[in-house]
């Protein structure tokens, strides 16, 4: 068995923390926001082995050996996992991700533009895969996830923008129409809406935080307005569900659900995709018609994940997707035998991963790739590790 320690890629985005990732991964901060650590084979951020070899090149050298027949037959000859650590200081953009069918169609539609040399940042689709994801909170996390009911949205808007509601939104008959009207207002009209909105937010008795750990809808508005100004996304905390994850809780985001992570730190696992359709609170590309065509345009409740114990005694974060499983291994010994590949990341303490003939030690912030294997391997943990696994069977 060839277990390989891998090094991830650190992504610098404006919303990132200055210290969380440097502290976890034991490197000196350069003073810039450090937002994400990527572990996987996506071209936008490929993990490397200790000798500098790309993980994707190792897998390409013998896909059946490293991925196994189950993974290849179902998902192809690429590692279909992208494991991340997020460090969120200020809110991410409002966004959703396509289904596999939507991604294939969108990627194909933009093929002529790619051939003409249009840059990826100016396109909606970076690949032809869907993007399901789950976020496990390492610290208190605030997020927005899925639309509130149409009735709740109307109630909030009547209260916070009574004049603008009467002018622009009163005749809306569903979420899709209301959203479209908001996102296609001219700049002057939108400024008037937001001015009225902010004035009434200021008068409200709602607190900005809960126990200083979580942001309320008002707190989110107060965070995003100074950053983005006249942006329809400023109103979205009162259109979307605001959720609070305690450390150890997780939320699953299925494709097409509009969402935004707002504050906190967590482990994220997703399909091998970087497809993002944005809906405000960003300086990047926003394509309103494409976003509306992809997103779920009805109310939905946040999918807070249940937990179970799998046959190897690992804590399983239950996610309704066949793309991945996220597992948590706390202090203890685990003997595992599964014919699918995985990634193992240590976030606390130390862990030993190996077989009777070979093992490696993971310290806090270190990660390894475990190939598909027919023999048993063990994981000995003193602390906590996360394991990203391709499901052995379809759910």
């Amino acid at each position: 068995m060839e277990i390989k320690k891998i090094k991830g890629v650190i992504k610098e985005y404006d919303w990132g923390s200055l210290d969380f990732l440097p502290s976890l991964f034991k490197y000196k901060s350069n003073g810039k926001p450090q937002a994400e650590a990527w572990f996987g084979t996506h071209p936008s951020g490929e993990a490397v082995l200790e000798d500098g070899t790309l993980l994707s090149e190792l897998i390409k050298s013998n896909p059946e050996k490293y991925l196994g027949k189950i993974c290849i037959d179902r998902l192809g000859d690429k590692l279909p996992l992208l494991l991340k650590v997020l460090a969120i200081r200020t809110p991410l953009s409002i966004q959703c991700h396509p289904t596999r069918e939507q991604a294939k169609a969108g990627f194909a539609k933009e093929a002529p533009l790619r051939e003409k040399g249009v840059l990826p940042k100016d396109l909606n689709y970076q690949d032809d895969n869907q993007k399901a994801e789950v976020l496990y909170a390492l610290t208190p996390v605030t997020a927005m996830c899925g639309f509130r009911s149409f009735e709740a949205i109307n109630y909030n808007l009547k209260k916070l923008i009574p004049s603008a509601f009467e002018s622009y939104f009163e005749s809306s008959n569903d979420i899709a129409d209301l959203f479209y009207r908001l996102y296609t207002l001219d700049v002057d009209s939108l400024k008037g809406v937001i001015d009225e909105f902010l004035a009434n937010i200021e008068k409200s008795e709602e607190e900005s935080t809960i126990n200083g750990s979580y942001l309320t809808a008002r707190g989110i508005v107060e965070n995003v307005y100074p950053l983005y100004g006249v942006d329809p996304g400023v109103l979205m905390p009162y259109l979307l569900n605001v959720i609070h994850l305690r450390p150890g809780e997780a939320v699953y985001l299925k494709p097409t659900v509009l969402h935004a992570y707002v504050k906190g730190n967590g482990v994220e696992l997703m399909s091998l995709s970087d497809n993002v359709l944005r809906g405000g609170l960003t300086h990047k590309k926003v394509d309103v018609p494409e976003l509306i065509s992809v997103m779920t345009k009805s109310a939905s409740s946040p999918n807070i994940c249940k937990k179970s114990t799998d046959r190897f005694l690992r804590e399983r974060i239950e996610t309704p997707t066949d793309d991945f499983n996220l597992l948590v291994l706390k202090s203890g010994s685990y003997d595992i035998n599964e014919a699918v590949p995985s990634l193992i990341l240590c976030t606390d303490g130390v862990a030993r991963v190996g077989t009777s003939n070979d093992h490696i030690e993971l310290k806090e912030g270190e990660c390894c790739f475990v190939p598909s294997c027919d023999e048993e391997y063990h994981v000995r943990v003193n602390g906590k590790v996360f394991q990203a696994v391709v499901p052995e069977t379809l759910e």
Side-chain angles (χ1 to χ4, degrees), residues 264-308:
N265 308 289
V267 172
E268 184 181 44
L269 176 59
M270 61 181 60
S271 318
L272 184 63
S273 174
D274 197 28
N275 285 324
V276 180
L277 283 301
R278 295 180 175 85
L281 306 184
T282 180
H283 301 299
K284 296 182 179 180
K285 176 183 176 66
V286 175
D287 184 334
V288 173
E290 188 69 18
L291 171 66
I292 291 176
S293 75
V294 167
M295 74 182 192
T296 295
K297 295 172 278 290
S298 57
S300 62
S301 299
N303 192 334
I304 305 302
C305 301
K306 297 180 180 179
K307 300 177 183 179
S308 60

Side-chain angles (χ1 to χ4, degrees), residues 16-220:
S17 166
L18 298 177
D19 54 14
F20 185 81
L21 294 184
S23 175
L24 177 61
F25 293 104
K26 313 303 181 189
Y27 65 90
K28 185 176 180 180
S29 172
N30 61 6
K32 298 179 180 179
Q34 313 279 292
E36 299 182 349
W38 287 29
F39 298 92
T41 59
H42 194 281
S44 296
E46 294 203 50
V48 299
L49 309 184
E50 290 183 292
D51 65 3
T53 303
L54 290 173
L55 177 58
S56 61
E57 291 299 321
L58 174 73
I59 292 171
K60 191 183 299 183
S61 69
N62 194 334
E64 188 164 345
K65 172 182 177 181
Y66 291 107
L67 298 181
K69 190 174 186 304
I70 292 173
C71 182
I72 292 174
D73 286 350
R74 194 192 321 155
L75 299 166
D77 61 358
K78 296 179 181 178
L79 179 67
L81 303 169
L82 183 53
L83 182 64
K84 298 182 180 181
V85 179
L86 305 189
I88 306 162
R89 177 178 53 89
T90 59
L92 281 68
S93 61
I94 295 167
Q95 58 189 259
C96 76
H97 313 300
T99 63
R100 188 168 285 107
E101 293 73 19
Q102 290 170 335
K104 287 183 181 297
F107 191 70
K109 183 172 66 176
E110 292 184 337
L113 297 176
R114 284 191 298 276
E115 292 170 1
K116 290 180 181 179
V118 175
L119 296 175
K121 69 182 179 66
D122 296 318
L123 298 173
N124 290 315
Y125 297 90
Q126 309 303 309
D127 50 69
D128 64 355
N129 196 19
Q130 74 173 8
K131 186 177 180 182
E133 61 187 51
V134 60
L135 179 71
Y136 180 106
L138 295 174
T139 64
V141 167
T142 297
M144 297 186 287
C145 175
F147 283 107
R148 302 178 190 227
S149 70
F150 184 58
E151 294 73 20
I153 292 171
N154 275 343
Y155 174 83
N156 286 336
L157 295 186
K158 285 178 182 178
K159 182 173 67 173
L160 294 171
I161 50 168
S163 296
F165 183 83
E166 184 176 349
S167 298
Y168 304 116
F169 307 114
E170 191 168 34
S171 61
S172 292
N173 52 18
D174 58 29
I175 290 173
D177 181 60
L178 190 152
F179 183 91
Y180 179 79
R181 294 185 189 203
L182 173 61
Y183 273 74
T184 55
L185 286 173
D186 63 77
V187 173
D188 289 339
S189 297
L190 181 60
K191 183 179 185 304
V193 170
I194 292 179
D195 285 346
E196 182 182 14
F197 177 68
L198 294 174
N200 286 313
I201 288 283
E202 184 68 25
K203 296 175 187 175
S204 77
E205 297 180 356
E206 182 181 10
E207 297 290 336
S208 299
T209 70
I210 298 174
N211 299 327
S213 298
Y214 304 99
L215 292 177
T216 63
R218 173 178 179 160
I220 298 172

Side-chain angles (χ1 to χ4, degrees), residues 258-395:
L258 202 63
H259 65 278
Y261 299 134
V262 173
K263 179 185 178 184
N265 308 289
V267 172
E268 184 181 44
L269 176 59
M270 61 181 60
S271 318
L272 184 63
S273 174
D274 197 28
N275 285 324
V276 180
L277 283 301
R278 295 180 175 85
L281 306 184
T282 180
H283 301 299
K284 296 182 179 180
K285 176 183 176 66
V286 175
D287 184 334
V288 173
E290 188 69 18
L291 171 66
I292 291 176
S293 75
V294 167
M295 74 182 192
T296 295
K297 295 172 278 290
S298 57
S300 62
S301 299
N303 192 334
I304 305 302
C305 301
K306 297 180 180 179
K307 300 177 183 179
S308 60
T309 301
D310 77 354
R311 61 194 173 102
F312 302 117
L313 303 182
R314 299 172 295 188
E315 181 179 83
R316 178 185 174 187
I317 308 304
E318 295 187 8
T319 52
T321 177
D322 297 321
D323 285 2
F324 54 71
N325 280 335
L326 181 62
L327 304 157
V328 183
L329 288 69
K330 300 175 183 178
S331 294
S333 297
Y334 304 84
D335 296 310
I336 303 166
N337 184 355
E338 53 192 357
V340 287
S342 69
L343 299 167
I344 298 179
L345 171 67
C346 180
T347 60
D348 180 41
V350 295
R352 174 174 168 158
V353 185
T355 65
S356 57
N357 300 317
D358 182 27
H359 75 272
I360 63 170
E361 184 175 282
L362 297 179
K363 298 177 183 178
E364 187 174 303
E366 294 185 327
C367 185
C368 70
F369 168 65
V370 181
S372 170
C373 187
D374 291 330
E375 69 174 300
E376 185 177 86
Y377 66 95
H378 61 258
V379 184
R380 309 289 185 253
V381 183
N382 183 10
K384 180 186 285 187
V385 305
F386 291 85
Q387 187 169 17
V389 181
V390 176
E392 284 190 287
T393 57
L394 295 175
E395 296 297 318

